[in-house]
């Protein structure tokens, strides 16, 4: 028998890989992409946080099983990696963290403290404790619009406003297309980190009502220091294939800023600001019959 898998912690992985026009499979124990000519490209699935699967990609059962066991998130996206159709779930196996997250979101004052902490990180300045969420969102809108203007001016990009139609990708201007491609990359690795830490992507604090509400909350903490500048820089260069150029720029930015190493500790810091303790298991709850082995991966990995 093969030895048990030992997942690599999320902070030590490559951020994301985009794949298209091929079939993912496990052949001779290796995770490979096979193109129409039968050429195999081996992919180190255990050292990748997120794989974005574009049109023309097919996945075997064995490939999904292996990706799940090593904690690599598979995300099925549209052309250019922008529209999200479905995603796997390599994590989410920590009930204590799911209950903790839900407890914070359902407590009005705890949720406000979490939101205030998020905006404090984003604005890099203290937030008045009496500010409510509506006031903070108003501040956010004004600051975000100004940040877009400043970055466009810095990189010499003509900018009007943020405008994106998911049903008509080609209708957007170059800066908006670059921004959409860049944020898609950030959402991918943010979701991988949220799942690896054992939390629920849908239970947000600022965003709500979406399957990835918490992912959007987390991504916004890093957006304007990472992918937004990268998107404007690419837009200023007017490349032939802007989406691909944005992916490469984001990949380099994630590596330079060591973003994967920072996301999970930031999530813990933000939630701790809620001031509520982690819930304990009920005294009459049935404990696991077979004790779990010590895990080398992140908290939410299944194996």
């Amino acid at each position: 028998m093969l030895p048990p898998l030992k997942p690599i912690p999320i902070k030590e992985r490559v951020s994301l890989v985009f794949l298209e026009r091929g079939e993912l499979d496990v052949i001779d124990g290796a995770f490979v992409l096979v193109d129409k000519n039968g050429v195999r490209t081996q992919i180190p699935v255990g050292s990748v946080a997120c794989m974005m699967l574009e049109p023309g990609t097919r996945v075997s059962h064995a490939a999904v099983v292996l990706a799940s066991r090593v904690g690599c998130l598979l995300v099925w996206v549209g052309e250019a990696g922008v529209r999200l159709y479905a995603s796997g779930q390599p994590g989410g196996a920590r009930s204590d963290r799911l209950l903790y997250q839900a407890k914070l979101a359902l407590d009005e004052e705890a949720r406000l403290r979490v939101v205030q902490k998020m905006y404090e990180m984003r604005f890099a300045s203290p937030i008045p404790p009496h500010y409510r969420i509506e006031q903070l969102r108003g501040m956010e809108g004004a600051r975000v619009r100004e940040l877009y203007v400043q970055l466009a001016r810095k990189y010499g990009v003509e900018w009007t406003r943020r405008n994106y139609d998911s049903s008509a990708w080609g209708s957007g201007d170059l800066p908006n297309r670059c921004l959409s491609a860049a944020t898609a990359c950030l959402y991918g690795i943010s979701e991988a980190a949220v799942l690896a830490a054992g939390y629920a992507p849908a239970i947000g604090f600022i965003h709500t009502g979406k399957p990835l509400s918490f992912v959007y909350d987390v991504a916004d903490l890093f957006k304007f220091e990472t992918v937004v500048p990268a998107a404007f820089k690419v837009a200023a260069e007017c490349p032939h294939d802007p989406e691909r150029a944005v992916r490469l720029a984001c990949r380099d930015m994630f590596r330079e800023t060591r973003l994967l190493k920072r996301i999970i500790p930031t999530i813990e810091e933000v939630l701790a600001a809620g001031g509520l303790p982690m819930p304990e298991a009920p005294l009459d709850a049935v404990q696991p019959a077979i004790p779990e082995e010590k895990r080398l991966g992140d908290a939410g990995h299944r194996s």
Side-chain angles (χ1 to χ4, degrees):
M1 295 179 61
L2 294 174
L5 296 175
K6 298 179 179 179
I8 300 172
I10 199 83
K11 64 183 180 181
E12 298 177 6
R13 299 189 182 204
V14 175
S15 56
L16 75 168
V17 172
F18 282 82
L19 300 174
E20 62 178 357
R21 298 185 180 88
E23 182 171 351
L24 282 173
D25 203 350
V26 178
I27 302 175
D28 297 331
F31 195 92
V32 297
L33 178 71
V34 184
D35 67 13
K36 63 180 181 180
N37 297 318
V39 177
R40 303 178 184 180
T41 301
Q42 186 169 332
I43 301 169
V45 62
S47 62
V48 178
C50 175
M51 287 190 189
M52 309 284 270
L53 308 181
E54 292 191 290
T57 306
R58 295 160 63 174
V59 190
S60 73
H61 183 277
V64 173
V65 169
L66 182 55
S68 176
R69 291 185 65 196
V70 299
C72 177
L73 178 67
L74 299 181
V75 181
W76 283 260
V77 297
E79 191 172 358
V82 175
R83 194 168 184 178
L84 187 148
Y85 296 112
S87 62
Q89 191 170 347
R94 285 291 298 268
S95 62
D96 56 342
R97 300 200 178 196
L98 297 176
L99 292 171
Y100 176 52
Q101 182 184 2
K103 183 179 179 181
L104 289 168
L106 292 171
D107 187 298
E108 184 177 349
E109 292 304 316
R111 174 176 172 250
L112 176 59
R113 289 191 292 269
V114 170
V115 171
Q116 288 174 334
K117 183 64 175 179
M118 288 180 173
Y119 280 117
E120 182 180 305
M121 287 182 168
R122 291 173 61 179
F123 296 161
S125 61
I127 297 297
H130 63 277
Y131 273 30
R132 309 304 291 182
I133 294 177
E134 294 79 7
Q135 293 172 289
L136 293 170
R137 293 190 67 181
M139 292 173 57
E140 174 192 23
R143 293 196 182 202
V144 165
R145 286 191 293 271
E146 181 59 26
L147 282 171
Y148 280 135
V149 171
Q150 291 178 5
L151 287 167
R153 187 182 302 120
K154 175 181 178 181
Y155 291 102
V157 174
E158 184 177 347
W159 176 256
T160 52
R161 63 189 178 91
R162 185 71 174 105
N163 183 27
Y164 164 60
D165 182 359
S166 61
S167 63
W169 168 245
S171 65
D173 58 21
L174 179 59
N176 273 287
R177 287 167 57 194
C178 289
L179 282 168
S180 297
T183 52
C185 294
L186 181 59
Y187 291 155
I189 66 166
S190 296
E191 183 180 5
V194 167
L195 291 170
Y199 295 107
I203 303 178
F205 294 84
I206 299 173
H207 296 84
T208 186
K210 297 287 187 179
L212 299 179
S213 293
F214 191 47
V215 172
Y216 301 148
D217 285 352
V218 172
D220 281 350
L221 298 174
F222 306 98
K223 182 185 294 184
F224 282 93
E225 66 172 282
T226 56
V227 299
V228 174
F232 275 106
K233 184 177 180 181
V234 171
E237 298 168 353
C238 297
H240 172 69
D241 187 349
E243 289 81 13
R244 183 176 186 277
V246 166
R247 294 175 195 164
L248 296 176
C250 288
R251 179 200 63 188
D252 295 340
M253 177 64 72
F254 295 153
R255 184 185 299 117
E256 292 168 6
T257 59
R258 307 191 72 181
L259 186 57
L260 280 176
K261 191 172 184 177
R262 298 165 53 202
I263 294 179
I264 293 179
T266 299
I267 292 173
E268 306 290 356
E269 182 181 354
V270 163
L271 296 184
L276 299 182
M278 183 80 73
E280 297 183 0
L283 295 177
D284 57 352
V286 178
Q287 299 298 319
I290 302 175
E292 290 188 340
E293 298 180 0
K294 182 179 178 181
R295 297 172 180 267
L296 296 181
D298 293 289
H301 283 167
R302 297 184 186 277
S303 57

